[in-house]
Amino acid sequence: MIKFLTPLKMGNPILLQKANYVDNPSNSEIQDIVSNMLHTIQTIGERVGLAAPQVGIQKRIIVYRVPEKPLNSRYHLISDEFQKEVPWSALINPEIFPIESELESGWEGCISVPGLLGKVPRYKTIRFTGVNERGQVIDQVVSNFYARLIQHEYDHLEGILFPMKINDPSCFGYEEEIIAHLKD
Ligand code: NI
């Protein structure tokens, strides 16, 4: 039975732990977790990614999507460079390899850090690998918003939340204030 998994918020120590590798990505337990994560994130709505530790599951599983255009004012700020639409997908045991050393700072939000946004440096272009819940190998090069999203979700598997990566603490605040007052 598909169920809603309550997201954990910053301050919960589970969010600071390293998640475990999944030994058998295509077994039914993992498929159930992926289904529940997809149900959860779709129920929350207007979101682009969720990592298993955010719902208290310490496994290296993320689900994400790339919408073809910004979902709301938060995403207008987060990305003006939306790319080709990617439907909701699961990625298990992801690995990330920067393609160039260039970092770009950009705004991020997180279900585990509700109502807040911060500017975080990320690699502009990455290669990422992993498998999906059907055991198919994924190996892709992505840039901009897509690359930022994968790096953000990957960090959750390492026990890292975006506020821990903010260079300039003045670039951290409440979403509605930032959206109202900043243009870049
Ligand atoms: Ni997050």
Side-chain angles (χ1 to χ4, degrees):
M1 202 178 81
I2 291 186
K3 61 179 182 189
F4 182 83
L5 307 168
T6 305
L8 308 180
K9 289 188 275 193
M10 184 168 66
N12 189 310
I14 289 175
L15 292 171
L16 304 177
Q17 288 172 20
K18 202 168 156 148
N20 300 308
Y21 281 90
V22 175
D23 290 331
N24 188 352
S26 46
N27 79 7
S28 62
E29 182 208 352
I30 300 305
Q31 291 185 9
D32 288 348
I33 291 170
V34 167
S35 299
N36 290 337
M37 286 174 66
L38 287 169
H39 171 69
T40 298
I41 192 76
Q42 287 165 6
T43 301
I44 294 168
E46 294 196 335
R47 286 285 174 173
V48 294
L50 182 71
Q54 291 183 276
V55 289
I57 297 168
Q58 291 166 293
K59 293 184 190 301
R60 301 182 81 82
I61 304 171
I62 68 177
V63 296
Y64 67 90
R65 65 168 163 167
V66 178
E68 75 183 325
K69 57 182 192 297
L71 298 171
N72 54 30
S73 56
R74 175 182 350 114
Y75 289 102
H76 277 289
L77 185 69
I78 289 174
S79 179
D80 54 7
E81 286 190 83
F82 275 66
Q83 302 165 75
K84 191 172 166 294
E85 183 171 9
V86 178
W88 282 110
S89 307
L91 184 63
I92 298 163
N93 296 335
E95 299 291 346
I96 289 179
F97 311 92
I99 294 291
E100 298 156 18
S101 55
E102 188 190 347
L103 294 169
E104 190 170 60
S105 270
W107 293 99
E108 296 186 12
C110 182
I111 287 165
S112 298
V113 191
L116 293 164
L117 295 177
K119 223 169 186 180
V120 183
R122 301 284 187 190
Y123 294 110
K124 202 169 153 55
T125 302
I126 59 165
R127 174 179 165 223
F128 72 90
T129 62
V131 293
N132 66 17
E133 77 281 17
R134 294 179 296 282
Q136 294 165 325
V137 172
I138 295 163
D139 187 340
Q140 276 186 272
V141 174
V142 298
S143 297
N144 303 321
F145 177 79
Y146 196 166
R148 176 170 297 280
L149 169 58
I150 296 293
Q151 289 170 88
H152 175 113
E153 300 308 332
Y154 178 86
D155 270 358
H156 280 297
L157 307 181
E158 294 291 302
I160 297 166
L161 298 171
F162 82 79
M164 296 156 70
K165 286 204 159 170
I166 293 171
N167 276 347
D168 177 354
S170 68
C171 293
F172 185 37
Y174 290 96
E175 190 176 299
E176 67 270 23
E177 296 286 358
I178 290 167
I179 289 168
H181 296 287
L182 281 184
K183 297 292 167 223
D184 61 352

